[in-house]
Amino acid sequence: MTNYVHFFGAGHADGNAQLKTILGGKGANLAEMTNLGIPVPPGFTISAELCNTYIARGTYPPELKAEVEANLAKVEKLMGRTFGSAKLPLLVSVRSGAAVSMPGMMDTILNLGMNDQVAEGIAAEMGNPQFAYDAYRRFVQMYGDVVMGLKGNKSPFEALLHAKKEARGVKRDIDLSAADLKALVGEYKAALKKIEPKGFPEDPKAQLWGAIEAVWRSWQGDRAVTYRRLHGVPETLGTAVNVQAMVFGNLGEDSGTGVAFTRDPSTGEHRFFGEFLVNAQGEDVVAGIRTPQSIEEMAQKFPKAYEQLVATYQRLEKHYRDMQDLEFTVERGTLYLLQTRNGKRTGAAAVKIAVDMVKEGLITKEEALLRVSPDALDQLLHPMIDPAAPITLLAKGLPASPGAASGQAVFTADEAFEWAAQGKAVILVREETSPEDIKGMAAAKGILTARGGMTSHAAVVARGMGKCCVAGAKDVRVDEAGSFTAGGKTVKRGDWITLDGSNGRVIAGKVPTVAATLGDYFGEFMGWADEVRKLKVRTNADTPADAARARGFGAEGIGLTRTEHMFFEGDRIKAMREMIVARDKAGREKALAKLLPMQRSDFEGIFTAMDGYPVTIRLLDPPLHEFLPHEADDIAELAKEMGISAKDLTETVASLHEANPMLGHRGCRLGISYPEITEMQARAIFEAAVNVTAKGVKVIPEVMIPLVATVKELSHQEAIVRRVAGEVFAKAKKEVPYLVGTMIELPRAALTADEIAGVAEFFSFGTNDLTQTTFGLSRDDAGRFLPFYVEQGLLPADPFQQLDQVGVGKLMQIGIDLGRSVRKDLKIGICGEHGGDPSSVMFCHRVGMNYVSCSPFRVPIARLAAAQVALEEKGHKNKSSTV
Amino acid sequence: MTNYVHFFGAGHADGNAQLKTILGGKGANLAEMTNLGIPVPPGFTISAELCNTYIARGTYPPELKAEVEANLAKVEKLMGRTFGSAKLPLLVSVRSGAAVSMPGMMDTILNLGMNDQVAEGIAAEMGNPQFAYDAYRRFVQMYGDVVMGLKGNKSPFEALLHAKKEARGVKRDIDLSAADLKALVGEYKAALKKIEPKGFPEDPKAQLWGAIEAVWRSWQGDRAVTYRRLHGVPETLGTAVNVQAMVFGNLGEDSGTGVAFTRDPSTGEHRFFGEFLVNAQGEDVVAGIRTPQSIEEMAQKFPKAYEQLVATYQRLEKHYRDMQDLEFTVERGTLYLLQTRNGKRTGAAAVKIAVDMVKEGLITKEEALLRVSPDALDQLLHPMIDPAAPITLLAKGLPASPGAASGQAVFTADEAFEWAAQGKAVILVREETSPEDIKGMAAAKGILTARGGMTSHAAVVARGMGKCCVAGAKDVRVDEAGSFTAGGKTVKRGDWITLDGSNGRVIAGKVPTVAATLGDYFGEFMGWADEVRKLKVRTNADTPADAARARGFGAEGIGLTRTEHMFFEGDRIKAMREMIVARDKAGREKALAKLLPMQRSDFEGIFTAMDGYPVTIRLLDPPLHEFLPHEADDIAELAKEMGISAKDLTETVASLHEANPMLGHRGCRLGISYPEITEMQARAIFEAAVNVTAKGVKVIPEVMIPLVATVKELSHQEAIVRRVAGEVFAKAKKEVPYLVGTMIELPRAALTADEIAGVAEFFSFGTNDLTQTTFGLSRDDAGRFLPFYVEQGLLPADPFQQLDQVGVGKLMQIGIDLGRSVRKDLKIGICGEHGGDPSSVMFCHRVGMNYVSCSPFRVPIARLAAAQVALEEKGHKNKSSTV
């Protein structure tokens, strides 16, 4: 008999959690709770298949009517109330709910079943006519807007409400009397009739069918259709309709409402945690007008209901095997659960709850690993803004590097360095940063830029330094003379500001922060991850300090050392510039000879910090003009310092100018034009390797040639590296094993990876540049339209943060397959920013890479992501938010 | 018995043209001529396999000695001379020669077999001691340099010669007396002995063996090894050694020497054509000191030899079935052929000869088509510098757009336009051009730039206009105030210069040019090409004039109309700028409304010119900042004109600045950010289509969305185009069939071509951008290192001129396969600059494209290349220089 309508109530439901396709997610969950014996207000769900029928034919099977009536009667009986009756009336809610959670469909209709008589009855029952008529007013408005489709410009209701308040000289809705509200209902209905001649349906049954059809129609609404198209949700899925009895927490002092968590969502502590309000409805808790009481106080107020709630929460947690977030109402002493779902939690709580539940025997280690979203770990490792502190938001930018920091605003790298040397905390504020700013960035507590994206210079360097950074804060207008304006305020040099790098917030003044603390359970949890993962995790690090920090986070080697960052400090930049302006090879070699010992000592430090692990060193990559100043004043000053004419230096700078520096004279192209640079770098690497080996350090250098497009470029550079290695080893009478490999960061390299693997002993995918070239998209310029693309669903995510598996990923797969076809045991890794993004790490595992490399603070994230994908491969289902 | 040494002479050779692997190319050809009964000086070839033996073991089989002696004796007998004898001595030449023509091996040694006695004997025989000792001196020098390896810094000879001339107070070598030269020989030998203690070998046999071993060693010379590595020539090939009797054209008035062509190499006219000198050697003809006589005069001087020569040339042409370039010597009345090879010819001659030979029954039409290098056609279509005119070369740049033009130098586009309006011929000289210069470029006779490559803005636009252009002339230093310097000379505004766009020459003054003339045979020849080719050939054209010109050259539609070029003229640029600086959509729409009628009339013109053929229109592509000025003065002027503040305009310009504009906010990204632009362009296209259809024109518009990386971008734009088409058709009550497709110019588009083909009705490969992104190489910046890459063999050719089939081509193949997997009949073409490059056109045929599109003047080239590859596919061997 029950074909289309599925009842739930009084401990029994026609469906359960498995029947999502028929009942939708919401309906299935209501059925599941009911079957568990949880007190849920009774109701019924109309099968999603009818949505298709309705859309196709504009009608529904005639037998549906009788089914709905029969189920409504069951609800009436259980509630002891009658739908449409003035005495003890039954009110219902009507909600949409598809198998897939999907925004854009119909808003919930509450209190359906009201008309003038019913409202009068409720006023009498509650002894509160003002409440009854306010609920009635809201229902008419909601019905008109949502069911009759007046929402938006056509809706007459707000204007009428406003006029009524004006007329009464009051400001707040709640200051209107019951008589005002009653009158307003009449005005609403009259206005409605002017727009829609059939007017507001006084018959509750007509209201119900109107709402049911409105749910079905909402499946074809613009936003819903767009959402499905963008997310590949099939049209034929349809939405179910949920009709459920209303219960009231505001029927007097024996009623109330609340929300609760089965464990502490902030710390993960194993205790019942929540808030409730006596004589109130759910929206009162949310609105924050009254201050709720703690859940423990409920034990005094409603001992029986509280006892039942405790028993219920324990059952629910055991049943769902996860921390639950509950909504409940007590109506005249009777407890009703309105919703249960897996509760949101902080990163720290997620790890603690997972570890505790394993110890409690509730879940397995594997499940624990799959419970924690890798991204959530980020919160654990960085200080946070104290959530209790009041803040004045100046602007929002991109959450470029997590953590929080306060400091005095400075506007040049030199200033940052000098102020910091005086012991001041500073935030470096720049239009955008360049490699010349490194020293100042290192000295600052945090970095704020007005331009640039998640992989801009500021963002990449800050993440590497583990320093908080807000990048691309568009509303920040920087006057580098010494101030910026944002949010209508001006911040001058020396004013305090606070950055929240985890959320991209720029905040006025000095806001207290909370330090990151790693409990023992963190180490235990990460240990489990290491047991199951197959992918190695390395770090990107340019200094011994970074290398040591990353080892602390579990890094198993360095996947990328960028040698150019080493050239910006003190005397180095001077020697570097001498090399660039040199007129001939002899001049360049003279300058390079000065750089050699500095570079060698850098490598000695890094090798020592990574004792026993491989270290991949990328040879000089950026175009040479990045090392020269570009402003006339700076050029003049440098020229004086270097003893050459400003005109000559200006000409050199101009001659190095490039239309598209990203696609210019950089990477191995430099080493090919100036083999003496490659030679110096190779010498520094191998001399350092020989020196630290003599001190008992185990060193495994991997020399990486950047920006290779053809195997001939690689061979050219490889020959130099191997020759120099031979020379150094012969002189030292000692050999150190090493590899020579290449970045795969240009499409052509991936496409000809078979040729390249004939020479390269390892590949490291440079997915930052590979994404730029595959998309033809400069990450420095993408800010103008990329956010809009993501917002509009033209791209599922920023491809510089989350690897584009469909396009860039396909190219990587081609590169891996071709490379391994020639060299079976080719070592393959990734060293772009994606190496620290969970979904990208999982992709790297799936395509058979050996390792990922990421900034030190993301190493734990990558370890967990690697563990999750290994478990997935064994058939475990990943329930964390990352896919 | 003849194992290693292969004799040729007196009408019989041991080998023939087929035995290249053993005899090398040169030896095989000498054998072939001998077998034909052509009088060739006798000699012998030592098999190439001995080269390997010698290199592996440092020695040769002992039996070789006897073989060489025996063959030498045969030569002596035929020549009636004796090797090493003072009386009637035999002198020989020794040459290397591998199966593959290969530079970098040994230079030819002439006059081998001389010592003091032999020299004396020759002096007596010739009655010219000065000549004999000059030959002797040259031989010692050549032997020392080439065989004994002194070439380069170590060589003492030039210094001694110089000293001798100083001492004698003469300037020219030929003013030294016989005694001087004889003394010099002594000094040469003494100097040689100081460097190489074994000294100059007086024994001719020792000289011969020294030279033979030197040939073998030269196989391992640096340049030869590098060449083989770069061109994949196997090491084991080895070089043969050719030893051949010297003959002398300078033994008196009964001797002479000359070169001849079996047809006129300039015009292709069917007549014997050549020059000769009495009593001279080959090098005298080349040196140009004496003026040679025309070949007809030889009939009087040496009637018998002439008759024999005529008979020989006819035989050779019939035998080789191609126009031959002959070298011959008459020694005391006896004719010797020294060489025959297929003669080089102008493009016009190549076509005429091919057509004539078909009519003569010598070759088939297919062979005719395969005889002409498609690139050679370029010469036919453009005026050339008169080859007879003396010139003063100022600089050399890239041959960016062929043809020649003289004009007065101007330095701004405005100047070019104004001077041209006054009827002056001008050459526009710029550091580099930008779209703002279009008007001036159109007005100029030719364009010269100091920067930029073969696909720079100047080059691309000039080729499209069929205007000559020399780009990237590095030695030209432009002062845009009104002069440039080059080659030590300064050219001021108004001075005359001449450009040779076919060779990249910048020439002082006004040099006469020769107009291009197309004979009837050209049309006939191209008709044959059209009969066999399968690939369609379209043109890239932005104006009705270009379109009409291209139709004249045989274009079958337009493959690329760049709409942005249309926005630079007069009022258009003003409206365009208004749109760019507009603060909102309404402002943009207002400006776009002004552009609509202009754009519509452009399309009407183009559609009419291409009546009956498809026209592919690319929507707006370049970043918006290209339409704005960048210098402070220009900005101030424009701001005034537009009635906005200079500060505001400066800010707009700055906000549009991009770090890498090539990878920035352009292509469909503009149309997505500002859908109103796409809408206006679509409206202009369809309104134009409807209007011209009403006039009886058949129009097939193909709307092309540029820079698509994801199918969602394409769908977004496609929806706008189809909606506007529907609106226009509904209003006009007329439908015009059209297609919507996309450029495939980003790697991601090729990699996801299956998704894209779900929406796109055609693909057009934009190989300029695809090459840039696949290589990660900006064509504007590549000039700094790309020429070096090509020179060093790191790349086989400039990938912007010749499609990189290995990398970019693989990506194209992926894109084609994926696209056709979804849409079987997907129309696929190419519209990058490669569409006019023969090897790239052939690639396009092989991968199954439907058409190529190129600039109007390259249409015939593409037609011929398409014919050649179609013939190749049928098994015909392509002998033209393009592979």
Side-chain angles (χ1 to χ4, degrees), chain A residues 229-231 451 477 625 651 654-666 668-670 672-674 707 709-710 712-713 716 746-755 772-782 784-785 788-789 792-796 804-808 810-811 814 818, chain B residues 229-231 451 477 625 651 654-666 668-670 672-674 707 709-710 712-713 715-716 746-755 772-782 784-785 788-789 792-796 804 806-808 810-811 814 818:
Chain A
R229 191 164 48 78
L230 294 178
H231 294 83
R451 274 167 58 175
R477 295 191 147 241
H625 50 76
E651 273 183 16
S655 77
L656 289 174
H657 168 80
E658 294 187 304
N660 296 288
M662 156 69 206
L663 307 176
H665 197 192
R666 48 173 288 238
C668 69
R669 296 163 192 171
L670 289 174
I672 288 169
S673 296
Y674 310 114
L707 211 77
T710 77
K712 283 180 181 169
E713 292 175 312
H716 182 285
L746 297 175
R748 198 182 187 284
L751 291 163
T752 62
D754 44 353
E755 294 182 2
Q772 294 197 82
T773 46
T774 303
F775 272 89
L777 184 56
S778 158
R779 64 187 190 198
D780 295 323
D781 301 313
R784 207 184 303 278
F785 52 94
F788 177 80
Y789 264 51
Q792 294 286 306
L794 287 160
L795 284 173
D804 162 47
Q805 299 180 13
V806 176
V808 178
K810 188 184 275 185
L811 200 50
I814 290 172
L818 287 175
Chain B
R229 191 165 46 77
L230 294 178
H231 294 83
R451 275 167 58 174
R477 298 192 145 239
H625 52 75
E651 273 182 15
S655 77
L656 289 175
H657 168 80
E658 294 186 304
N660 296 289
M662 155 70 206
L663 307 176
H665 197 191
R666 48 172 287 239
C668 69
R669 296 162 191 172
L670 289 175
I672 288 170
S673 296
Y674 310 114
L707 212 75
T710 77
K712 284 180 181 169
E713 292 176 311
S715 305
H716 182 285
L746 297 175
R748 198 181 187 285
L751 291 162
T752 61
D754 44 353
E755 294 181 1
Q772 294 196 84
T773 46
T774 304
F775 272 88
L777 184 56
S778 156
R779 64 188 190 197
D780 295 323
D781 303 312
R784 209 184 302 279
F785 52 92
F788 176 81
Y789 264 51
Q792 294 286 305
L794 287 160
L795 284 173
D804 162 47
V806 176
V808 178
K810 188 186 276 184
L811 199 50
I814 290 172
L818 287 175

Side-chain angles (χ1 to χ4, degrees), chain A residues 51-96:
Chain A
C51 179
N52 293 325
T53 310
Y54 181 79
I55 285 162
R57 306 200 210 139
T59 179
Y60 46 87
E63 58 268 38
L64 181 65
K65 208 123 203 172
E67 277 192 51
V68 166
E69 302 268 340
N71 279 280
L72 190 61
K74 282 164 88 175
V75 175
E76 286 174 326
K77 197 171 163 202
L78 279 176
M79 295 299 289
R81 292 172 168 274
T82 310
F83 191 60
S85 160
K87 203 183 158 203
L88 289 180
L90 172 70
L91 300 185
V92 297
S93 64
V94 179
R95 292 177 170 95
S96 60

Side-chain angles (χ1 to χ4, degrees), chain A residues 50 54 74 185 207 244 293 376 404 455 479 505 510 542 547 551 560 569 595 598 668 687 706 806 817 823 853:
Chain A
L50 284 189
Y54 181 79
K74 282 164 88 175
V185 168
Q207 290 170 9
Q244 189 179 18
Q293 297 168 272
T455 49
D479 176 354
R505 294 184 299 173
K510 194 175 176 174
D542 306 341
R551 255 192 111 144
L560 176 63
E569 282 170 38
L595 288 169
M598 307 180 198
C668 69
E687 288 182 356
V806 176
D817 292 347
R823 196 185 284 260
S853 187

Side-chain angles (χ1 to χ4, degrees), chain A residues 577-589 591 652:
Chain A
R577 286 165 168 177
E578 270 175 36
M579 186 203 76
I580 294 168
V581 304
R583 301 229 168 257
D584 53 20
K585 193 174 167 181
R588 279 191 298 276
E589 282 177 341
T652 300

